[in-house]
Amino acid sequence: MTEPAVPPPTPATELSSPKEAVGGWLQTLRTGDIGSLPIIIGLILIVIVFQSLNPTFLNAFNLVNLCLQIAALGIMATGITLVLMLGEIDLSIGSVSGLAAAVLLVTHVNHGYAPLLAVLVAVLVGTLVGLIQGSIFAKIGVPSFIVTLAGLLIWQGVQLRVLGEQGTINLPPAGTLVRWAQFSFVPRWLAITLAALAPLLYLLLSLLTRRRRAAAELPVTPLWLPIAVAVILLVLLQLVVAKLYLDRGVPWTFVFMVLVVVFFDWLLRRTAYGRKIFAVGGNIEAARRAGINVDWIRISVFALCSTLAAVSGVVAAMRLGFANQQSGSGETLINAIAAAVIGGTSLFGGRTRRYAPLLGALVIGSIANGLELLSLSSDVRLIVTGTVLLAAVVIDALVQRSRTSHGR
């Protein structure tokens, strides 16, 4: 009896020429995987429009201010990205950030806590809030929309109670917290070094991914592609750093926000915990049958979201130098959700793009900054922000439909 012939292994295919690479990229777009292309195009359009309307939009002073402004937003958007990955929503993050800001000011200013201890207490309050809300959602089964909507009101009330009759509490102008958030900037040599290391790290990770795909006999990108992207990234980052140091430089708060985004991106894509979040958001029943502790994933994600909302509130209070009854209210919630969605996080759960909170915060922050330079009223800002958010959701729905029709 002759044994059936075993087919030879299929070698890894490489799209070697630029024409083949472009063709493969266009084919990927047609299947619904559009990557960060809409965000990049949107950012370019935003820059062109606002620079043409106000020549100060791209000057060094305004760009440094933009970095300071989006730090808190990017941190909060990172937290809501995790919840959206589950296909859920957290409407209380604005109130949690305001409550954390109030706790920080009361403990530090009124009760004399050391700055670091006051920050720690404020952040832990956010973690506790997330654990409570996540447990009610996961263990009792109350929809996250209802739990966090109630939380929005409850934590706002607690914030008012914590602030008391004072209403507004100011941080010491020469204190550690204000100096770090408003006047601390990365030394120029360090900023140049970081701007050089980031593309190098990207290149190394791309080459490692390429080698793993080749070992698994999967199609790989041509070698020249990650090298070209790294070179372009290196040039752009060095130009941005040079521009920022025409004024004060790169704020530490901005660097902190970038580190938070990078860490959680690594957590999602390189750890078992992150893969479980993807699994629960993609198909909860399949995740449960695969042995994943769904309740624990849900509770922990809501705790992380509220913790990051508290960190965001602390950073915002340190930058502004005060906390009051309006801290965390207004556009805070909608801007954070808009930044996550515009950055590429799906409202249907189980899918997000790399560094989505950072890209989304850049878009939302640039729009708000540009409209302020034009001295437009808040009603116009709300209309523009809402329109951009609607466009992002429509694109996400179309992408989801295209991916489904292509069986992805």
Side-chain angles (χ1 to χ4, degrees):
M1 181 176 180
T2 58
E3 295 183 356
V6 178
T10 305
T13 56
E14 177 175 345
L15 305 173
S16 54
S17 69
K19 183 178 179 181
E20 288 178 330
V22 172
W25 178 65
L26 292 176
Q27 179 61 31
T28 303
L29 289 183
R30 281 193 287 271
T31 61
D33 190 2
I34 58 177
S36 300
L37 184 63
I39 312 168
I40 295 171
I41 294 175
L43 268 176
I44 294 173
L45 289 176
I46 289 169
V47 169
I48 292 174
V49 169
F50 284 120
Q51 179 65 17
S52 62
L53 294 175
N54 190 328
T56 62
F57 181 74
L58 281 181
N59 71 24
F61 178 78
N62 189 56
L63 291 179
V64 173
N65 285 342
L66 178 61
C67 292
L68 288 166
Q69 291 165 0
I70 68 172
L73 173 61
I75 294 169
M76 187 180 290
T78 303
I80 196 65
T81 293
L82 299 175
V83 173
L84 292 176
M85 283 286 296
L86 296 180
E88 303 295 338
I89 191 69
D90 188 342
L91 299 177
S92 69
I93 50 176
S95 297
V96 174
S97 72
L99 173 60
V103 170
L104 170 72
L105 272 290
V106 169
T107 53
H108 178 54
V109 177
N110 292 2
H111 298 288
Y113 283 32
L116 188 58
L117 180 59
V119 169
L120 183 62
V121 171
V123 172
L124 287 178
V125 167
T127 306
L128 179 61
V129 168
L131 287 173
I132 294 172
Q133 295 185 156
S135 298
I136 295 173
F137 163 61
K139 294 295 185 182
I140 302 180
V142 180
S144 61
F145 176 84
I146 301 299
V147 174
T148 56
L149 180 61
L152 181 151
L153 301 173
I154 293 171
W155 310 125
Q156 198 169 37
V158 176
Q159 174 188 349
L160 298 181
R161 176 61 64 92
V162 170
L163 288 171
E165 296 180 355
Q166 287 182 269
T168 300
I169 303 177
N170 296 309
L171 283 169
T176 302
L177 298 178
V178 171
R179 281 192 285 110
W180 185 80
Q182 296 184 8
F183 307 111
S184 293
F185 296 88
V186 181
R188 184 167 188 161
W189 65 268
L190 182 56
I192 293 173
T193 303
L194 292 175
L197 288 177
L200 180 61
L201 182 61
Y202 163 81
L203 180 60
L204 289 176
L205 292 176
S206 298
L207 294 179
L208 286 175
T209 301
R210 188 177 184 277
R211 190 173 69 174
R212 281 198 297 268
R213 291 181 65 86
E217 299 179 351
L218 295 171
V220 295
T221 56
L223 182 60
W224 59 266
L225 187 57
I227 297 175
V229 172
V231 171
I232 293 172
L233 194 59
L234 174 65
V235 173
L236 284 177
L237 289 178
Q238 292 296 336
L239 287 174
V240 170
V241 168
K243 182 77 174 181
L244 293 177
Y245 280 89
L246 292 177
D247 192 66
R248 289 155 288 174
V250 181
W252 273 113
T253 50
F254 180 78
V255 175
F256 177 67
M257 181 267 284
V258 172
L259 291 176
V260 169
V261 172
V262 170
F263 171 77
F264 278 95
D265 187 84
W266 170 83
L267 185 76
L268 279 174
R269 301 176 192 282
R270 300 288 179 179
T271 67
Y273 176 70
R275 286 190 285 274
K276 289 177 181 176
I277 295 176
F278 272 102
V280 173
N283 189 324
I284 188 170
E285 283 307 316
R288 204 186 302 275
R289 293 179 183 180
I292 295 175
N293 189 338
V294 173
D295 287 351
W296 159 243
I297 293 295
R298 285 174 155 180
I299 294 171
S300 62
V301 165
F302 272 85
L304 286 173
C305 179
S306 292
T307 301
L308 290 174
V311 173
S312 169
V314 167
V315 171
M318 291 192 298
R319 185 179 72 83
L320 296 172
F322 67 88
N324 62 16
Q325 298 172 343
Q326 301 303 316
S327 297
S329 61
E331 304 168 23
T332 304
L333 169 64
I334 189 64
N335 280 345
I337 295 176
V341 175
I342 290 170
T345 303
S346 174
L347 289 171
F348 302 97
R351 188 160 50 88
T352 185
R353 307 210 182 284
R354 303 210 71 165
Y355 314 122
L358 175 61
L359 295 173
L362 278 173
V363 171
I364 294 296
S366 299
I367 292 173
N369 181 277
L371 293 177
E372 284 179 5
L373 288 178
L374 296 176
S375 301
L376 296 177
S377 56
S378 58
D379 55 345
V380 177
R381 191 163 60 248
L382 287 172
I383 292 171
V384 173
T385 305
T387 303
V388 174
L389 173 60
L390 179 61
V393 174
V394 169
I395 291 173
D396 179 54
L398 294 176
V399 168
Q400 180 72 13
R401 182 185 301 177
S402 177
R403 290 170 65 91
T404 303
S405 65
H406 286 84
R408 301 187 64 178

